Amino acid sequence: MRAGAQAVPTAPTGKETLVWSDEFNGNVRRGQPDPAKWTYDTGSSGWGNKELETYCAWGSNASPCTAEQPSAYLLGDGYLHIVARKMGDGVYSSARLKTQSLHGFLYGRIEARIRIPVGQGIWPAFWMLGDSIAAVGWPACGELDIMENIGKTPSTVYGSIHAPGGDLTKSLTLPDSQTLGEAFHVYGMIWSPGRVQFYFDNPSNVYARYTPADLPKGAIWPFDTGKFFILLNVAVGGNWPGNPDSSTKFPQEMLVDYVRVYAEGQDSPKAAAEHSSVREILH
């Protein structure tokens, strides 16, 4: 599929099994994302990037969060809504959902269908971190950035890996002045031993490939050593996107149609279940 073509949901091949997903269905207005699948990062530490937002958990009334205006919710329309709001001068709320301590994955095809927000200083992402982060920290745990976008490059999706001693990024830019926020797109990763590939809209449209040989000499490839958990978030400001300016409108909203994880070569429901087994992180 050419860059910029309309995204449609992809289906598993004959060699794939759907082992985990969230379709964000439900009829409850302002409903809670499934607590059996998602938990939250919270706070306003800057997250190592000098970000401006405070991440809010479901039901939090810790300022600037408010339970009456959740930053992540279901609306009965089949989407997860992640909303970044301006709550005051230089004060922003948003959400960062994660499957940490609930579900972890090693290898397979992992994708989400998303309509991203737009605007200077807005930084949506769909990504993964190693389950080992609590024990070894970052970047030793490894990071897989399946989709990142920043408001000043509205037509470009970035796919990156972060490893001890090496950071690699490649990108795909839509043609003809199209922007990613105009429509839903599928952002995905094909992950196998010693190889990570990122694709856009269709698994056949791979725009980035990484192997251990691509890392600088002495860097460590951490992507074959354990399970990773999924994150979805909208950041505001930071070293890379820069801060919002007078052109940035709020609220900003990311819509997620689904997140799906497929395993290769799973021949039975039991094998599929074992592939997607839950791994608890002990703090």
Side-chain angles (χ1 to χ4, degrees):
M1 179 181 292
R2 71 177 181 86
Q6 181 63 37
V8 295
T10 58
T13 68
K15 295 181 180 180
E16 288 183 329
T17 299
L18 180 67
V19 295
W20 185 91
S21 71
D22 198 335
E23 306 295 323
F24 304 112
N25 294 324
N27 297 317
V28 179
R29 184 171 176 83
R30 293 294 172 102
Q32 180 180 6
D34 189 346
K37 295 180 178 179
W38 302 102
T39 184
Y40 303 85
D41 278 324
T42 59
S44 57
S45 66
W47 305 99
N49 304 301
K50 296 184 178 180
E51 298 168 29
L52 302 178
E53 79 288 335
T54 296
Y55 284 130
C56 302
W58 176 265
S60 175
N61 279 308
S63 181
C65 307
T66 169
E68 289 72 30
Q69 287 189 315
S71 296
Y73 57 89
L74 307 182
L75 198 57
D77 55 3
Y79 303 125
L80 169 67
H81 297 246
I82 302 178
V83 182
R85 296 183 176 91
K86 186 173 183 178
M87 307 300 285
D89 187 17
V91 179
Y92 306 90
S93 63
S94 189
R96 183 156 120 172
L97 289 79
K98 59 183 183 177
T99 67
Q100 186 179 17
S101 299
L102 298 172
H103 303 275
F105 309 95
L106 178 63
Y107 307 137
R109 183 165 68 85
I110 301 167
E111 69 174 25
R113 186 171 182 262
I114 301 172
R115 183 167 183 170
I116 66 167
V118 296
Q120 169 57 34
I122 305 302
W123 185 3
F126 165 46
W127 52 303
M128 302 184 77
L129 286 169
D131 275 8
S132 62
I133 189 170
V136 303
W138 185 95
C141 65
E143 177 178 329
L144 297 161
D145 296 324
I146 302 171
M147 179 281 291
E148 289 185 286
N149 173 261
I150 53 175
K152 59 189 174 185
T153 58
S155 302
T156 302
V157 56
Y158 300 90
S160 309
I161 63 172
H162 299 277
D167 303 296
L168 300 174
T169 298
K170 294 182 180 180
S171 63
L172 179 147
T173 299
L174 300 183
D176 306 323
S177 300
Q178 297 176 66
T179 60
L180 293 167
E182 293 176 0
F184 280 90
H185 291 284
V186 174
Y187 304 94
M189 174 177 68
I190 304 168
W191 180 18
S192 55
R195 192 176 194 188
V196 170
Q197 303 177 83
F198 296 118
Y199 63 86
F200 177 75
D201 276 347
N202 192 288
S204 65
N205 191 23
V206 172
Y207 68 91
R209 295 177 175 86
Y210 301 112
T211 69
D214 296 313
L215 289 173
K217 185 177 180 179
I220 298 172
W221 177 269
F223 307 115
D224 297 323
T225 58
K227 294 180 180 180
F228 279 58
F229 60 90
I230 296 169
L231 300 99
L232 292 162
N233 69 285
V234 177
V236 179
N239 294 330
W240 186 25
N243 292 340
D245 60 22
S246 60
S247 71
T248 312
K249 300 182 184 303
F250 287 93
Q252 291 281 343
E253 183 176 61
M254 181 163 82
L255 298 177
V256 186
D257 184 17
Y258 65 76
V259 180
R260 296 173 182 165
V261 180
Y262 299 98
E264 286 280 354
Q266 301 297 321
D267 297 325
S268 69
K270 179 180 179 181
E274 290 173 350
H275 183 94
S276 60
S277 61
V278 175
R279 176 176 175 179
E280 296 277 337
I281 297 179
L282 301 178
H283 295 276

